[in-house]
Amino acid sequence: MPDYRIFKRKIYAKMLQWKQERDGSTALLIKGARRVGKSTIAEEFARREYRSYIVVDFADAPEAVWEAVANISDRNHFFTQLQFIYGVRLYERESVIIFDEIQKSPETRQAIKYLVKDHRYDFIETGSLLSIKKHTKGIVIPSEETRLTMYPMDYEEFRWAMGDTATVPLLGDAFRNRHSLGDAVTRKLMRDFRLYMLVGGMPQAVNTYLDTTNLTEVDKKKREIIELYIDDFLKIDPSGKASRLFMAIPSELCKNASRYLVTSVLGRSEKQDVMDELLQDLEDSLTVNFAHHADDPHVGMPLNADYGQYKMFVGDTGLFVTLAFWDKDITENIIYQKLLSDKLSANIGYVYENIVAQALVAAGNKLFYHTWPSETSNHNYEVDFILSRGSKICPIEVKSSGYNTHKSLDEFCRKFSDCISSRYLVYTKDLRKDAQTLLVPACMAMHL
């Protein structure tokens, strides 16, 4: 069995566009969470699109590289040294230099402006936690960067890895044409989709599944990734608060509260500036997705969002599932099998909410939600996600079953009837219309 595979990723097309349109006038910065595949895609791109390339991995660079960096202002000397160190000849306008884990060499990132101006070669930077202050303090962040964010594999990329190029485009056609799929087909499609929810989109987890088809082995790999994240959080926050906030995401969502409650996780309130920095660090790590409360849910929601009221989701739902069962040493295959068959007795609605959040973010959406009190009872209504589409908005309610009542969605659309475009209930059954509401199987979420 292969040690690893090069998976087809959508970011490749954006990288190619950068190469063709920018022609070396900017460096390409690929940022993303640890183990999301940044280094792999950068080297694969270099191998296929350039005559030669050098990968400078600052996480494991020899002493000679650091000596070269110390004299990076002498570009002729710097480029010559790299070619000797790595035994690779560079060709003017036909070669690329990849600076992997660039955040570990602030001097190199600061010098990008001059390396790009030199214009002999192209440059690709990759790294994690790039925006965190400890990695940029005291340097000038170059403006000569084209920045791309790399996310975990979305559902289409996952299906590609499974050897299936047909399903997701067909799902898109059915969604756009409002064609039902039939109950039997939907059950099969949802089982495939739940496999994606369990394995997730981290390339190492997907590779492990393809090698073993053993979900316990996949869980082991995901736990290794989570441990790396925790180590990263401890580096930026030795108090452990950031890692505790991350680990508590499943339990906070499970409470079905209208916001993430920091006090329930840390046991006490923190100074606002401390919390703001911790939350910014979490967001910059790209391991989590934030949904902020839209106080006035119309177009232009960022202008009316309450950034102190938010929900937090794990960036990869496969990691979310492992976090949700973190109390066991290894998530037993029986739990995975029950989840796969949609027969786990526990309420797993929050898993579906997390996968919809992940799909929406990967498709380029910012996440907003809205809660409001009922006029006739003590009950609060909530719409899980709100998307901007042109001059209108599209509210989304998420269910973990085929349960197709949507009181919150109906009340929201009544309250904000002047600005509603389409309304969606994401659930586990076939595509159907219920009056003005489109009931959408979760496997179509990326097409919303």
Side-chain angles (χ1 to χ4, degrees):
M1 289 178 287
D3 292 328
Y4 76 98
R5 298 168 176 85
I6 305 296
F7 295 117
K8 181 182 177 182
R9 305 297 299 271
K10 293 179 179 178
I11 197 173
Y12 195 100
K14 296 178 181 178
M15 296 168 71
L16 196 58
Q17 183 180 12
W18 159 79
K19 181 178 186 292
Q20 294 168 345
E21 294 181 357
R22 297 294 184 171
D23 189 31
S25 63
T26 65
L28 178 65
L29 171 63
I30 305 173
K31 58 181 181 175
R34 287 280 294 274
R35 300 297 175 88
V36 81
K38 303 179 300 297
S39 303
T40 300
I41 198 67
E43 186 164 359
E44 176 69 0
F45 183 78
R47 184 183 66 79
R48 293 175 58 178
E49 305 297 337
Y50 291 88
R51 186 175 175 184
S52 69
Y53 67 93
I54 288 174
V55 178
V56 181
D57 181 0
F58 286 115
D60 188 31
E63 182 180 350
V65 166
W66 297 109
E67 291 179 357
V69 169
N71 297 290
I72 200 168
S73 59
D74 183 345
R75 258 87 66 194
N76 289 332
H77 180 71
F78 178 68
F79 294 141
T80 299
Q81 289 297 95
L82 289 186
Q83 291 175 85
F84 276 118
I85 293 167
Y86 291 98
V88 175
R89 182 172 181 177
L90 298 174
Y91 301 90
E92 189 166 332
R93 300 306 314 134
E94 295 182 274
S95 298
V96 62
I97 300 174
I98 299 171
F99 296 124
D100 199 14
E101 300 291 353
I102 186 68
Q103 76 275 4
K104 295 183 181 293
S105 180
E107 304 90 342
T108 303
R109 192 175 180 203
Q110 182 171 254
I112 284 293
K113 174 179 181 178
Y114 305 101
L115 298 179
V116 166
K117 186 177 180 180
D118 181 272
H119 205 244
R120 264 178 275 185
Y121 314 113
D122 284 357
F123 300 92
I124 298 175
E125 307 162 83
T126 74
S128 305
L129 310 174
L130 285 169
S131 300
I132 292 177
K133 298 177 181 65
K134 67 170 288 187
H135 293 137
T136 56
K137 187 176 180 180
I139 74 166
V140 177
I141 300 300
S143 58
E144 296 77 10
E145 287 177 337
T146 296
R147 301 182 183 186
L148 294 178
T149 301
M150 191 171 191
Y151 298 105
M153 296 166 72
D154 69 13
Y155 187 46
E156 185 167 25
E157 291 171 322
F158 180 79
R159 294 311 308 169
W160 289 343
M162 299 295 116
D164 172 14
T165 60
T167 294
V168 172
L170 288 171
L171 286 171
D173 291 342
F175 174 77
R176 286 184 291 272
N177 295 317
R178 305 300 193 251
H179 286 163
S180 67
L181 305 170
D183 292 338
V185 170
T186 301
R187 282 193 296 272
K188 191 269 181 188
L189 290 169
M190 283 303 303
R191 183 179 173 85
D192 290 344
F193 187 69
R194 285 193 296 273
L195 176 64
Y196 168 61
M197 293 168 65
L198 296 175
V199 174
M202 305 303 287
Q204 287 183 326
V206 176
N207 194 66
T208 300
Y209 178 77
L210 290 173
D211 281 351
T212 67
T213 64
N214 185 311
L215 292 170
T216 295
E217 292 302 314
V218 173
D219 192 76
K220 290 178 183 177
K221 184 59 64 177
K222 290 189 293 176
R223 285 170 185 264
E224 291 175 10
I225 296 171
I226 291 171
E227 293 287 359
L228 281 175
Y229 288 178
I230 293 171
D231 288 345
D232 279 344
F233 293 143
L234 289 174
K235 290 174 185 175
I236 63 175
D237 171 43
S239 74
K241 293 172 186 173
S243 58
R244 286 164 63 191
L245 292 172
F246 175 75
M247 297 290 287
I249 291 175
S251 62
E252 284 298 297
L253 283 177
C254 187
K255 292 174 184 176
N256 203 28
S258 61
R259 65 169 67 189
Y260 187 107
L261 293 175
V262 171
T263 52
S264 71
V265 178
L266 301 183
R268 56 190 172 86
S269 60
E270 298 286 337
K271 292 182 179 179
Q272 191 59 48
D273 58 341
V274 173
M275 277 312 306
D276 287 346
E277 185 169 358
L278 281 176
L279 294 171
Q280 188 62 59
D281 287 349
L282 280 170
E283 190 167 19
D284 287 345
S285 75
L286 296 171
T287 61
V288 302
N289 293 319
F290 279 86
H292 292 99
H293 191 272
D295 291 343
D296 182 18
H298 290 79
V299 174
M301 284 181 287
L303 299 175
N304 301 291
D306 180 357
Y307 288 94
Q309 185 173 349
Y310 54 86
K311 290 189 173 185
M312 209 185 310
F313 302 94
V314 181
D316 178 71
T317 303
L319 298 183
F320 181 97
V321 170
T322 295
L323 277 180
F325 296 101
W326 193 257
D327 58 325
K328 296 181 179 293
D329 288 338
I330 291 295
T331 302
E332 298 167 357
N333 244 325
I334 187 65
I335 293 176
Y336 273 104
Q337 291 302 331
K338 285 186 175 182
L339 275 168
L340 188 59
S341 302
D342 208 19
K343 294 180 179 178
L344 194 67
S345 57
N347 176 13
I348 59 168
Y350 49 89
V351 183
Y352 281 92
E353 200 172 334
N354 199 93
I355 195 67
V356 172
Q358 180 181 344
L360 295 177
V361 168
N365 298 284
K366 298 292 185 182
L367 301 182
F368 297 95
Y369 71 104
H370 184 68
T371 61
W372 72 102
S374 168
E375 297 173 357
T376 58
S377 69
N378 294 326
H379 173 72
N380 279 347
Y381 291 117
E382 178 175 316
V383 168
D384 296 308
F385 302 104
I386 308 169
L387 305 180
S388 291
R389 293 293 182 262
S391 60
K392 300 288 185 178
I393 60 174
C394 300
I396 302 170
E397 191 172 345
V398 181
K399 300 284 189 182
S400 61
S401 66
Y403 188 64
N404 60 5
T405 59
H406 37 82
K407 181 66 173 175
S408 290
L409 200 57
D410 293 340
E411 288 298 315
F412 181 90
C413 293
R414 182 181 62 81
K415 186 177 181 181
F416 300 102
S417 59
D418 61 320
C419 60
I420 303 296
S421 172
S422 299
R423 60 189 75 174
Y424 303 111
L425 176 77
V426 177
Y427 73 152
T428 61
K429 300 298 183 182
D430 192 10
L431 183 74
R432 292 188 175 93
K433 281 292 292 286
D434 182 12
Q436 299 300 311
T437 300
L438 187 66
L439 312 182
V440 182
C443 55
M444 288 185 179
M446 66 187 300
H447 295 298
L448 294 175

